[in-house]
Amino acid sequence: MTTPVVPPPKKDPQKRTRVPTRPSHFRSRAALGLAAAAAEGRFMLQRCSECGTLQYPPRDACASCLSADLPWMDVSPKGKLIAGTVVRTSTNVYFRERTPWRVGTVQLEEGPSIICHVHGDVQTGEDVVLINRLDKSGQAVFLAIPQGRTANMEDDPQMRELTCDPKFRRVLITDARAPNALALAKAFAQAQASIIFIGESESWRSYPAHEELRAVPKVEILPLDVTDTGSVLELCGEIGGKTDILVNNARYVRPGGIMNRGDVIFAKDEMEVNFFGLMRLAQIFGPAMRGRGADGQNSATAWVNVLSVYAWSNMPDYGSFSASNAAALSLSQCLRAELSAGGVRVMNVFSGPTEDEWHQPLPPPKVAPEAIARSVISGLKDGLEEVFVGDVAKDLIERWRAGPKILEREMIENAGQDA
Amino acid sequence: MTGKAGKRRRQGYEGIVAVAPASVPYQRYSIETAHWWIARALRASLQQAGIAPRDVDGFSVASFTLFPDTAVGLTQHLGLTPRWLDHIPMGGASGVAALRRAARAVQAGDADVVACVSGDTNHVDSFRRMLSSFSRFAQDASYPYGSGGPNACFALLTDYYMREFGATREDFGRICVAQRANALRNPHAVMKTPLTMQQYIEARPISDPIHLFDCVMPVAGAEAFLVMREEDARAAGLPAAHILSTIERHNAFPDDPIQIRGGWEMDIDELYAMAGTEVKDIDLLQTYDDYPVIVMMQIEDLGFCGKGEGPAFVRAHDLTIDGDLPHNTSGGQLSAGQAGAAGGFIGLVEAIRQVTGQAGPTQVSKARQALVSGFGMINYDRGVCSSAAIIAGEGPA
């Protein structure tokens, strides 16, 4: 079993905050396929399309038949730890600060041998499962974990470096008025977040979930309006140094595309919240989080954006809202690049139409707030970058990957049928 | 995979010799460059042979720290005008590879004198820099895991070997302790104090089960020798080492889940057959020794005992200069230091000295036939290159 993590002591303000360092992030282009798989928590390897040979390390040509067609496939992550070591001296500062560090060789049931990180509950000679995760450099690495669950296994120090577990971390959920705020607060409380800050705009205006939100343990409601730079600055001054996970769930949504709107007023509001809101938060909270990426058990660890899956391909009935989300998606990639120096992950959670007043005339399936909240928590626990919630979002991204132009055509054909 | 030996009978190396072994004393750190070290070794070798640089018409280089240069840049830098040029990126296998390539060039008349040189510098931060960009597979699939470098890779091989064959740390210790005893007779060895088995066992762990004295010390240094025709060596009055046979193999046994053997196993029969000799007639052995586990694998794969019998072999034999199997007589890399790619030359250059009776304080009394093996390049999880040669000479007078 793993020694459980304990709530970290109060930080000594006179001590220097440890500067984030990173494991080596250099990879070949072929190896980036592992990062793409890890972004969604998948265990994939290249399999030769001609002779079926599984490849590892990632290659540009098959080591059995020289074919250059090596698509990434989901494969069985089961194997056996055949050798192990404990690295006690390292040339890399990140590992040097974290030794002793377990490393091993796993032989997969499917064949290849993989050098990997090793969970503390695994002994050499045992059967293991390999998981593919992103490390603090943002690149993919493998961790060998027990085939079954062990006590507190997510608290293993090497595993916790690869995840963004909310346990004993402090969370800011940006918009108390969003329909998913209550579900998110409850989910973080259940995941043992130590403080759940919730930003509330226009506090004089009532909203349905207010009393229920206040009743969730660990919740602190604070004033925040993401469309007001001064408000964001003020909140960051208060809690910027102790925001470990930021959930940007504020959004402004109205139906309509271009010509069925007479002006750009709604479009401006959508951009003000969905794009500039993200930008303001990132400019103000981002530097503090990036600087605290290695600040002990409750280091800054993740930035979460709750987005529409129509960021990937425009849904004409919500065409302007889709565009604002496409802008936010693009900006999130920039934010990911900028936060990577601190080892802080950017996780985008995409859903299709949600169960709320602005999607009321749309047919099911629609995504419930609880489903989004569950995906946020599980995504953080797995350290993901891309999460697709619900059947509509999963269907859309599959179509997008198969052919974005074909999907665009489908979106045009479907326009006007439901809304 | 292709069969073990080639289809045709290989031509021998009759009439081709290696001469003028030169070692530039190693330094832990150096502010000089690889160019400087290589130049010193080349000069020392040429001076021994009484050959002017302009008369060198073949040049072979092995080095990790020459960047952005290769052997090409060195020709202009050192004022050489060779008609045959080689650059060997095989690390610990490069010495034998240089020898066998140069021998064929001289044999075929493509060159008359090939200078084979290897050297590397060691700046304070150069080891870390080399590790992080050693190979694409290392960069993608081993360095991100703890960045323990070769210590961690060999720790995995050693851990597996110990479990599989019941080897103990004392077994590996025997190799290291014997080499330290040899090094004490080599005035240029970096390690200058005796090593006891107790000190070996009690050393601090580096990457379990690898402890401090299982690891080589990276140093700056250079090694060189010349390959020429026997008649030219005789005319110059140079003691010469004959090349009886050589082998080379890369990426052997790719389906082994982890390395327990090297490419020698594929080619060992040919090595002895071509030399017309047997294991029992080998007077001294120079293995590639960046970690003792790979020494044990070489002892097995070169036919001194069966697979898994290495531990029993080192318990039963004395590996010191005066022992029944003199091994790594200059102290090897473990005690003399690892000068980058020159670590692939140290055993061969020492063996040339031994069989030509020029080894001085480390001279083995009967040194007519020497077996030298090379091993190089942990590309991902195992050493890819292996090589070996049997050379012969008159030995000490």
Side-chain angles (χ1 to χ4, degrees):
Chain A
M1 68 163 270
T2 307
T3 309
V5 295
V6 295
K10 218 174 168 59
K11 191 175 172 180
D12 180 348
Q14 291 194 310
K15 283 200 173 142
R16 189 187 183 198
T17 300
R18 181 188 260 190
V19 176
T21 53
R22 298 192 293 170
S24 174
H25 62 279
F26 296 105
R27 297 290 192 281
S28 67
R29 186 163 196 275
L32 298 183
L34 292 171
E40 295 178 61
R42 294 166 75 175
F43 184 79
M44 302 175 91
L45 293 178
Q46 292 169 300
R47 191 189 286 283
C48 176
S49 65
E50 290 185 33
C51 73
T53 303
L54 215 51
Q55 317 281 330
Y56 191 81
R59 286 185 168 87
D60 299 335
C62 174
S64 182
C65 75
L66 293 182
S67 161
D69 189 19
L70 303 175
W72 290 87
M73 312 287 275
D74 292 291
V75 297
S76 166
K78 286 187 177 175
K80 184 176 171 183
L81 185 67
I82 59 172
T85 184
V86 181
V87 174
R88 298 176 190 277
T89 65
S90 176
T91 54
N92 175 286
V93 178
Y94 171 87
F95 289 112
R96 196 169 177 271
E97 292 171 334
R98 287 164 179 79
T99 53
W101 189 273
R102 296 191 72 197
V103 174
T105 301
V106 165
Q107 186 182 16
L108 289 181
E109 286 176 6
E110 297 227 39
S113 289
I114 294 186
I115 292 179
C116 58
H117 301 307
V118 178
H119 190 283
D121 290 347
V122 175
Q123 298 307 315
T124 306
E126 288 180 353
D127 290 335
V128 296
V129 170
L130 277 183
I131 57 174
N132 178 24
R133 294 288 182 266
L134 299 167
D135 70 11
K136 292 285 185 195
S137 78
Q139 296 286 26
V141 289
F142 295 111
L143 173 72
I145 62 171
Q147 283 206 345
R149 263 203 68 81
T150 57
N152 314 307
M153 68 185 290
E154 61 282 346
D155 289 352
D156 176 79
Q158 289 186 219
M159 187 161 184
R160 202 168 151 97
E161 283 293 296
L162 305 179
T163 63
C164 306
D165 200 309
K167 191 173 180 181
F168 303 139
R169 284 193 163 108
R170 298 152 298 185
V171 184
L172 169 61
I173 299 167
T174 58
D175 186 5
R177 291 173 186 280
N180 60 18
L182 179 60
L184 280 168
K186 286 179 174 171
F188 274 106
Q190 205 186 352
Q192 295 180 265
S194 54
I195 311 178
I196 303 162
F197 301 112
I198 303 191
E200 181 186 66
S201 61
E202 302 174 342
S203 301
W204 66 91
R205 253 184 342 115
S206 71
Y207 53 98
H210 184 246
E211 288 314 311
E212 272 188 282
L213 261 182
R214 286 170 65 95
V216 175
K218 311 284 189 189
V219 160
E220 279 184 37
I221 298 177
L222 297 167
L224 172 66
D225 179 350
V226 300
T227 67
D228 174 359
T229 302
S231 161
V232 179
L233 276 170
E234 199 169 321
L235 183 67
C236 186
E238 202 172 325
I239 65 165
K242 49 184 175 183
T243 299
D244 308 325
I245 297 172
L246 190 152
V247 183
N248 169 32
N249 74 326
R251 75 172 183 180
Y252 190 94
V253 51
R254 292 293 182 275
I258 298 168
M259 284 181 259
N260 55 3
R261 286 184 181 175
D263 53 42
V264 296
I265 291 170
F266 279 161
K268 278 184 170 170
D269 286 341
E270 283 161 343
M271 289 300 285
E272 199 58 58
V273 175
N274 303 342
F275 177 78
F276 289 111
L278 167 58
M279 187 136 181
R280 270 185 211 99
L281 285 165
Q283 284 178 335
I284 295 166
F285 276 84
M289 290 180 71
R290 183 172 59 188
R292 286 191 49 256
D295 195 15
Q297 283 298 4
N298 53 358
S299 58
T301 189
W303 183 292
V304 182
N305 295 308
V306 180
L307 298 176
S308 165
V309 78
Y310 301 113
W312 294 85
S313 189
N314 194 286
M315 182 196 201
D317 295 331
Y318 289 75
S320 177
F321 171 70
S322 297
S324 71
N325 273 265
L329 168 57
S330 180
L331 194 68
S332 76
Q333 294 169 334
C334 176
L335 180 60
R336 184 171 289 145
E338 293 188 17
L339 284 178
S340 72
V344 177
R345 189 145 307 158
V346 172
M347 178 172 89
N348 289 329
V349 178
F350 299 98
S351 79
T354 41
E355 206 64 83
D356 58 52
E357 57 186 328
W358 297 107
H359 295 94
Q360 168 259 321
L362 297 191
K366 287 188 270 190
V367 178
E370 292 75 18
I372 291 177
R374 271 196 307 275
S375 295
V376 167
I377 300 298
S378 65
L380 288 169
K381 286 184 172 178
D382 285 340
L384 307 185
E385 283 186 345
E386 313 285 357
V387 178
F388 297 88
V389 193
D391 296 332
V392 172
K394 289 189 169 85
D395 176 85
L396 187 128
I397 195 65
E398 198 180 331
R399 289 173 193 274
W400 186 87
R401 284 172 181 160
K405 190 66 189 173
I406 295 169
L407 173 60
E408 182 191 318
R409 196 66 237 165
E410 289 176 308
M411 298 303 287
I412 291 169
E413 295 304 319
N414 291 339
Q417 292 184 3
D418 297 324
Chain B
M1 189 186 293
T2 56
K4 284 189 172 187
K7 286 195 183 85
R8 294 185 185 83
R9 193 172 165 276
R10 283 170 58 195
Q11 193 183 344
Y13 298 100
E14 292 79 13
I16 309 301
V17 296
V19 299
S23 302
V24 183
Y26 295 174
Q27 287 174 14
R28 174 70 174 106
Y29 289 113
S30 169
I31 60 169
E32 306 297 348
T33 61
H35 306 65
W36 185 92
W37 283 94
I38 287 170
R40 286 199 54 194
L42 175 63
R43 186 177 208 208
S45 183
L46 293 178
Q47 280 181 342
Q48 258 187 69
I51 293 175
R54 66 176 175 278
D55 295 328
V56 171
D57 63 350
F59 187 40
S60 171
V61 176
S63 177
F64 288 116
T65 52
L66 266 181
F67 184 84
D69 280 346
T70 64
V72 174
L74 277 181
T75 61
Q76 194 168 27
H77 196 122
L78 304 179
L80 305 176
T81 309
R83 55 176 173 150
W84 185 92
L85 185 66
D86 200 2
H87 189 109
I88 301 180
M90 296 180 200
S94 59
V96 170
L99 174 74
R100 69 200 304 263
R101 291 180 184 197
R104 294 303 186 200
V106 172
Q107 191 172 37
D110 291 345
D112 293 325
V113 179
V114 178
C116 300
V117 192
S118 178
D120 271 298
T121 189
N122 187 41
H123 298 157
V124 171
D125 198 31
S126 50
F127 189 66
R128 183 186 70 87
R129 287 171 189 277
M130 185 177 78
L131 288 189
S132 58
S133 57
F134 190 73
S135 69
R136 176 170 140 178
F137 280 4
Q139 168 200 288
D140 283 351
S142 66
Y143 192 70
Y145 297 93
S147 301
N151 292 331
C153 289
F154 275 94
L156 295 171
L157 304 189
T158 306
D159 181 55
Y160 188 87
Y161 186 95
M162 290 172 81
R163 287 167 199 279
E164 191 73 11
F165 301 116
T168 64
R169 285 197 56 221
E170 283 83 357
D171 296 330
F172 298 119
R174 282 185 174 85
I175 293 167
C176 301
V177 168
Q179 283 192 211
R180 181 62 61 88
N182 294 348
L184 297 181
R185 288 166 63 168
N186 170 9
H188 299 309
V190 170
M191 300 298 175
K192 300 198 179 296
T193 54
L195 175 69
T196 65
M197 181 60 86
Q198 191 182 353
Q199 285 170 324
Y200 171 87
I201 294 292
E202 290 172 357
R204 70 183 167 97
I206 301 295
S207 189
D208 314 20
I210 297 281
H211 291 60
L212 186 65
F213 296 115
D214 294 309
C215 308
V216 294
M217 184 175 278
V219 297
E223 305 273 345
F225 59 90
L226 306 179
V227 175
M228 61 177 65
R229 261 183 284 279
E230 188 181 359
E231 67 239 40
D232 293 343
R234 199 179 303 125
L238 293 170
H242 296 263
I243 305 159
L244 301 190
S245 66
T246 69
I247 53 170
E248 176 179 333
R249 183 65 71 171
H250 306 279
N251 194 33
F253 311 117
D255 296 329
D256 285 357
I258 190 166
Q259 187 158 40
I260 56 161
R261 53 185 172 168
W264 311 283
E265 195 190 297
M266 291 181 74
D267 304 297
I268 189 63
D269 294 343
E270 185 184 294
L271 181 74
Y272 289 110
M274 187 176 177
T277 190
E278 296 175 67
V279 173
K280 66 177 176 49
D281 295 324
I282 298 296
D283 298 323
L284 61 114
L285 174 64
Q286 309 283 352
T287 65
Y288 188 81
D289 63 329
D290 53 353
Y291 296 86
V293 69
I294 198 66
V295 170
M296 213 171 269
M297 287 187 203
Q298 281 163 96
I299 288 172
E300 294 166 349
D301 297 347
L302 293 168
F304 288 86
C305 60
K307 182 50 65 185
E309 294 168 11
F313 184 89
V314 298
R315 280 174 226 149
H317 293 272
D318 180 352
L319 304 177
T320 61
I321 292 169
D322 300 322
D324 59 332
L325 182 63
H327 171 250
N328 290 357
T329 46
S330 67
Q333 299 182 81
L334 282 166
S335 280
Q338 179 180 57
F345 272 57
I346 183 174
L348 177 57
V349 170
E350 170 72 2
I352 296 170
R353 274 193 292 262
Q354 288 283 350
V355 300
T356 55
Q358 302 177 91
T362 62
Q363 183 67 54
V364 171
S365 56
K366 178 174 180 278
R368 295 243 172 100
Q369 287 202 96
L371 173 49
V372 183
S373 65
F375 174 75
M377 309 304 284
I378 306 292
N379 189 57
Y380 161 47
D381 62 337
R382 63 193 70 193
V384 169
C385 311
S386 60
S387 60
I390 297 174
I391 60 173
E394 298 297 314

